[in-house]
Amino acid sequence: MIFRTSPLWSVLLLAGCAGFQPQPVEQPLTPPAQWHQETNAGETVNADWWQAFGDEQLNRLVNRAYANNPGLAATAQAVIQADLQLRNAGAALLPTVGASGSAGKQASQASGQDRATGGSTSLGVSVDYEVDLWGRLSAAESAALADFEATRYDYDAARITLAASVASTWFEWQELQQRVEVARKNLELGERTLKLVEARYRNGVADRSELSRQQTAVQNLKNAVPPLEYQARQRLAALRLLTGDYPFTEAEPRAALLDVSVPAIDPQTPASIVTRRPDLAAGEARLAAASANIEQARAALLPSLSLSGAVRASTDSFFSLSDPLRTASAVLGLSQTLFDGGQRRNTVEISESRRVALLETYRASLLTAFQEVGDALDREALYKGQETRLQSILEQAEETLRLTEIRYREGADDLLTLLESQRSVFDARQQLSQVRLNRLIAAVDLYKALGGGWEPEASGPKA
């Protein structure tokens, strides 16, 4: 049987193929021309930004986290699910083809007559197709595509967050290790002073109160070491969890916080943030999906048009199609809901409200992105100046302690002056270690706030 295409069918098919064309998202904010913090020339952020710290152990930890972190693996599965949803939405634009077949026998016997048997066989093929007359199906496909892109960007944002968490936790552990070493050095210094006080006490130069005071100071220094060691073990366990390993296993790695370099970073212009952060790209994709959902809901208000055709061959023989009876049918269906209590109208308004909410959420994300970059730049400048000053303070405190020890041996200074000099050295060492950690964390936060060298073309999980 031959079907001829009429001009009406051509118009309907062209309308179905036209589809929904999503509109680009307009930026709800105008970014400032430059950052409020004056920035010096630095390196551009690239995808392997953590390598700029010059720490080979950190490089291995990030690569291991990318390979083994269970949270990142779960996020990758969300991308796969969104891809399958997109394929389902695209399949709705294609015809549905079905096949059916049957064969059977039947027997009948009237009273006083011989038993009669008969059979039948039939095969058929059917085709059903909904013409996308108003772009409802193509809008659904566009929404699924935008959702798929959003999940890809979410995965990229999760990778950047994971790398930043690994780097921050690694530096925090190194700083705690540094504090443990400083506490042990302070204890060695206190014990050395205690020996000096004991010698002076034996010679009758120092009294019992001086000896007791220094013994108490040494006990306090001993008591400060175990809590720091415990905190260091906890941070190392957290780090191993990020890399997908069992906590509290293996030996502690060797590291030196003050040997880690703090990179200079070029933040570029504020306007570039919009295209450099995957979380903002995900927000734009969800706005595009919301726009497509609105068009889909509006198209559902209009009539739907469907085509169906079937071809069937049947015979009165069992498992035989010799000399079959052939039939063919074609149906054009037009349907329109006349009353649904306002459900479809409400669906349109719900979709429009969701898009407004997403737009406000996207605007808030933009403001947060600018705040994160500006805050990281401020902290970077603040802690850099503090570290320089603390280096000078530590050098002066150590020189003062050396001179005070000499004067104490000679009896020119008392024990309280010596203890105060020691305390100044202890504090300067602790503060210097903390400020170096603050500088490294600020650099990590700045890399993360700037998008971690993300490129849209290379987004999504890698096989």
Side-chain angles (χ1 to χ4, degrees):
M1 184 174 182
I2 300 176
F3 295 95
R4 296 185 180 276
T5 304
S6 67
L8 175 60
W9 292 118
S10 300
V11 172
L12 294 176
L13 291 174
L14 287 174
C17 295
F20 167 73
Q21 300 297 326
Q23 299 298 320
V25 177
E26 296 184 1
Q27 293 300 328
L29 292 174
T30 301
Q34 59 186 10
W35 300 108
H36 70 286
Q37 176 72 298
E38 183 178 352
T39 58
N40 299 321
E43 297 181 358
T44 303
V45 181
N46 56 50
D48 298 330
W49 53 266
W50 55 87
Q51 295 183 2
F53 292 97
D55 190 335
E56 292 298 326
Q57 185 72 9
L58 174 60
N59 299 340
R60 289 191 291 269
L61 288 170
V62 173
N63 292 333
R64 186 167 182 79
Y66 279 169
N68 297 332
N69 183 268
L72 187 63
T75 306
Q77 291 301 313
V79 180
I80 295 175
Q81 295 168 22
D83 180 38
L84 295 174
Q85 292 290 347
L86 174 59
R87 296 184 187 186
N88 285 341
L93 291 165
L94 303 176
T96 302
V97 180
S100 62
S102 64
K105 282 187 175 183
Q106 61 272 358
S108 61
Q109 185 176 12
S111 177
Q113 294 182 357
D114 295 335
R115 183 177 181 178
T117 60
S120 64
T121 302
S122 67
L123 289 175
V125 177
S126 63
V127 179
D128 296 303
Y129 176 64
E130 180 180 352
V131 179
D132 194 16
L133 187 61
W134 315 110
R136 181 179 65 84
L137 297 178
S138 59
E141 183 186 30
S142 297
L145 175 59
D147 286 334
F148 168 67
E149 292 176 343
T151 56
R152 289 171 55 204
Y153 301 149
D154 287 340
Y155 174 81
D156 295 333
R159 280 174 57 92
I160 296 172
T161 300
L162 176 60
S165 298
V166 170
S168 298
T169 308
W170 170 243
F171 293 145
E172 288 169 357
W173 176 81
Q174 289 191 75
E175 195 273 337
L176 284 168
Q177 284 293 94
Q178 180 74 19
R179 290 172 63 183
V180 170
E181 293 180 6
V182 169
R184 289 171 179 168
K185 289 180 180 178
N186 294 344
L187 177 58
E188 293 175 0
L189 181 58
E191 290 174 340
R192 186 181 69 190
T193 304
L194 178 59
K195 292 179 180 179
L196 178 60
V197 175
E198 289 174 341
R200 287 171 57 84
Y201 177 74
R202 287 193 301 269
N203 295 326
V205 179
D207 57 22
R208 180 65 184 175
S209 63
E210 290 186 6
L211 179 61
S212 178
R213 186 180 294 111
Q214 185 59 24
Q215 288 173 339
T216 302
V218 170
Q219 290 300 321
N220 287 331
L221 292 173
K222 286 183 179 179
N223 193 49
V225 176
L228 292 174
E229 293 175 335
Y230 168 77
Q231 293 178 38
R233 287 194 299 271
Q234 291 293 316
R235 295 316 296 162
L236 187 59
L239 179 63
R240 284 177 173 148
L241 286 178
L242 289 173
T243 57
D245 298 321
Y246 287 104
F248 304 110
T249 58
E250 303 178 358
E252 292 184 351
R254 301 294 301 172
L257 183 70
L258 298 180
D259 293 339
V260 180
S261 59
V262 182
I265 307 169
D266 180 12
Q268 299 185 12
T269 61
S272 65
I273 293 297
V274 178
T275 59
R276 293 166 60 188
R277 287 182 52 139
D279 58 334
L280 298 181
E284 290 186 8
R286 289 188 170 90
L287 275 172
S291 299
N293 287 332
I294 293 173
E295 295 302 321
Q296 183 182 359
R298 288 173 178 171
L301 298 172
L302 303 174
S304 61
L305 182 66
S306 61
L307 303 174
S308 11
V311 177
R312 181 174 296 276
S314 61
T315 67
D316 292 333
S317 301
F318 181 62
F319 277 121
S320 174
L321 286 176
S322 59
D323 194 19
L325 174 64
R326 297 179 178 87
T327 60
S329 64
V331 179
L332 171 64
L334 186 66
S335 63
Q336 170 67 53
T337 302
L338 298 179
F339 179 75
D340 62 359
Q343 292 182 16
R344 291 175 299 154
R345 290 287 182 185
N346 292 337
T347 301
V348 174
E349 294 183 6
I350 290 172
S351 300
E352 292 174 346
S353 177
R354 286 174 177 169
R355 188 185 186 281
V356 173
L358 284 173
L359 183 61
E360 293 302 319
T361 302
Y362 177 67
R363 187 165 69 93
S365 299
L366 282 173
L367 292 172
T368 301
F370 295 136
Q371 187 271 338
E372 289 174 347
V373 176
D375 177 66
L377 288 171
D378 273 349
R379 286 187 287 129
E380 185 182 46
L382 170 65
Y383 297 134
K384 182 178 180 180
Q386 281 190 336
E387 185 176 27
T388 302
R389 290 187 291 271
L390 280 171
Q391 287 282 6
S392 177
I393 291 172
L394 178 59
E395 293 174 0
Q396 294 175 2
E398 289 175 341
E399 178 64 15
T400 301
L401 176 60
R402 186 185 67 83
L403 297 174
T404 304
E405 285 182 342
I406 296 174
R407 289 174 60 84
Y408 180 74
R409 290 191 186 96
E410 296 174 350
D413 276 336
D414 57 13
L415 181 61
L416 290 177
T417 304
L418 177 60
L419 292 178
E420 183 63 30
S421 300
Q422 289 178 351
R423 191 175 298 109
S424 298
V425 173
F426 301 165
D427 292 343
R429 288 174 177 172
Q430 295 281 16
Q431 292 176 24
L432 183 61
S433 176
Q434 182 64 48
V435 167
R436 170 52 67 93
L437 172 63
N438 292 340
R439 284 194 66 193
L440 292 171
I441 296 297
V444 171
D445 290 344
L446 183 56
Y447 275 124
K448 180 183 175 183
L450 293 173
W454 175 73
E455 293 291 342
E457 297 78 8
S459 67
K462 306 299 185 294

